[in-house]
Amino acid sequence: MKELKDYIELNYNEKNIVHIYSIILRANYELMKQKENATKFELKQMDNFIIRYNNDFELILNNKIFFLKEDKIRSLVNYIYEYFNDKYPIEYDYKLIDPIYFSLFFYDLLDKIIKVKIDVINIKDIRLLRYKADPVTMENSERYKALLDKTYKMYSPFKSNLVSETPEERLNNILNSIKEKGYGFKNQLAIFYNNEPYIRDGQHRVSAVKYLYGDIDIKIVRFYLKDNYFYE
């Protein structure tokens, strides 16, 4: 593990280090979520970096290969969270952030966060951003529509599901979790930036809450970003 850490931190700039480490968090999360029926999988979210799992982990960085057993990956994950806390200290537990979202988007914000706030918003006031179109309400969420109509086909452009999970399976799993444990279980909250109404992570969870309970107030976490980054 030390050889891998040293290689990453000596050969990459800070932005790439953070991205690599966030993908490792996701790889560990993928394994933990499918532990009872663990299958091989591959993650490729970054040029010249691939993670493969097949009983052990194989990490390929610029054609240099590292093999790690599961216990070493878990130790590495603990180190990564410590690394983030040391480099980018905030008043929030990075472990509460979905590792998939972390590896896709959140890793790029660590050097921009200036404040974190727990807030409350009513579901009817939440908006979803649309590419080259006006934002829409949760009524128009594809996840919410799919809960109302089981034949509805969801569009998932960011590969934000588990690698072994279909969009429909993910939505149903989250719906069942909300039914059994409620929203905000283990303080995992929907994410917003600044004072925006736009949900950035947690659309599945909020869709499930709306489907089950209507437009109620929910707890969220807001990350305030310097230089008006993502300012509405």
Side-chain angles (χ1 to χ4, degrees):
M1 187 181 81
K2 184 179 185 302
E3 181 187 2
L4 173 61
K5 290 188 303 184
D6 289 346
Y7 179 82
I8 292 170
E9 292 174 23
L10 287 172
N11 290 279
Y12 292 88
N13 63 31
E14 186 62 26
K15 185 61 66 179
N16 285 332
I17 292 170
V18 170
H19 197 186
I20 290 167
Y21 279 165
S22 71
I23 295 169
I24 293 172
L25 294 182
R26 175 176 184 170
N28 179 70
Y29 180 72
E30 293 275 356
L31 178 63
M32 293 301 101
K33 294 296 285 186
Q34 60 170 326
K35 189 60 181 175
E36 292 182 2
N37 300 297
T39 59
K40 60 183 181 181
F41 62 82
E42 178 177 291
L43 291 176
K44 187 177 181 182
Q45 293 179 215
M46 181 179 177
D47 290 342
N48 300 314
F49 179 40
I50 301 172
I51 299 181
R52 297 190 180 110
Y53 174 77
N54 188 7
N55 295 318
D56 294 323
F57 284 93
E58 178 184 1
L59 289 78
I60 307 169
L61 288 145
N62 288 323
N63 298 317
K64 188 173 178 61
I65 301 175
F66 299 86
F67 294 97
L68 293 178
K69 294 189 178 296
E70 291 180 27
D71 61 330
K72 295 300 183 182
I73 282 287
R74 287 192 290 272
S75 296
L76 181 57
V77 164
N78 289 333
Y79 168 80
I80 290 170
Y81 281 123
E82 291 173 3
Y83 180 93
F84 290 159
N85 283 323
D86 289 341
K87 286 276 187 180
Y88 312 102
I90 58 175
E91 294 183 3
Y92 196 73
D93 187 349
Y94 284 121
K95 293 179 182 178
L96 297 177
I97 299 166
D98 180 349
I100 297 179
Y101 177 73
F102 210 134
S103 71
L104 290 171
F105 304 108
F106 195 78
Y107 76 90
D108 192 41
L109 305 179
L110 299 189
D111 60 345
K112 303 174 182 68
I113 300 170
I114 57 175
K115 185 176 72 170
V116 184
K117 175 185 174 183
I118 303 300
D119 202 359
V120 173
I121 191 170
N122 192 281
I123 291 175
K124 71 177 184 299
D125 297 322
I126 294 174
R127 296 294 180 268
L128 302 168
L129 291 170
R130 289 290 182 262
Y131 182 63
K132 293 185 178 180
D134 291 335
V136 299
T137 67
M138 288 299 299
E139 294 283 340
N140 293 292
S141 163
E142 292 201 331
R143 279 65 184 160
Y144 181 64
K145 289 179 179 179
L147 289 170
L148 295 175
D149 178 3
K150 303 306 180 186
T151 66
Y152 186 85
K153 295 298 181 183
M154 288 180 286
Y155 176 53
S156 299
F158 300 118
K159 297 182 179 178
S160 59
N161 304 315
L162 295 167
V163 291
S164 61
E165 184 179 55
T166 67
E168 291 75 21
E169 287 171 339
R170 182 183 184 197
L171 185 59
N172 286 330
N173 289 339
I174 289 175
L175 177 65
N176 291 332
S177 176
I178 297 290
K179 285 179 180 178
E180 295 170 9
K181 303 169 185 175
Y183 166 80
F185 179 66
K186 293 186 176 180
N187 289 317
Q188 292 182 318
L189 307 175
I191 291 177
F192 291 69
Y193 302 156
N194 305 315
N195 288 315
E196 298 174 344
Y198 312 125
I199 189 168
R200 301 290 183 159
D201 183 53
Q203 185 183 160
H204 291 79
R205 283 168 282 167
V206 174
S207 295
V209 172
K210 178 177 174 62
Y211 176 76
L212 292 169
Y213 309 115
D215 290 333
I216 63 172
D217 289 346
I218 59 168
K219 188 185 292 187
I220 63 171
V221 58
R222 293 188 179 277
F223 291 93
Y224 289 85
L225 309 173
K226 66 182 178 182
D227 300 326
N228 288 331
Y229 202 75
F230 287 131
Y231 188 71
E232 61 179 313

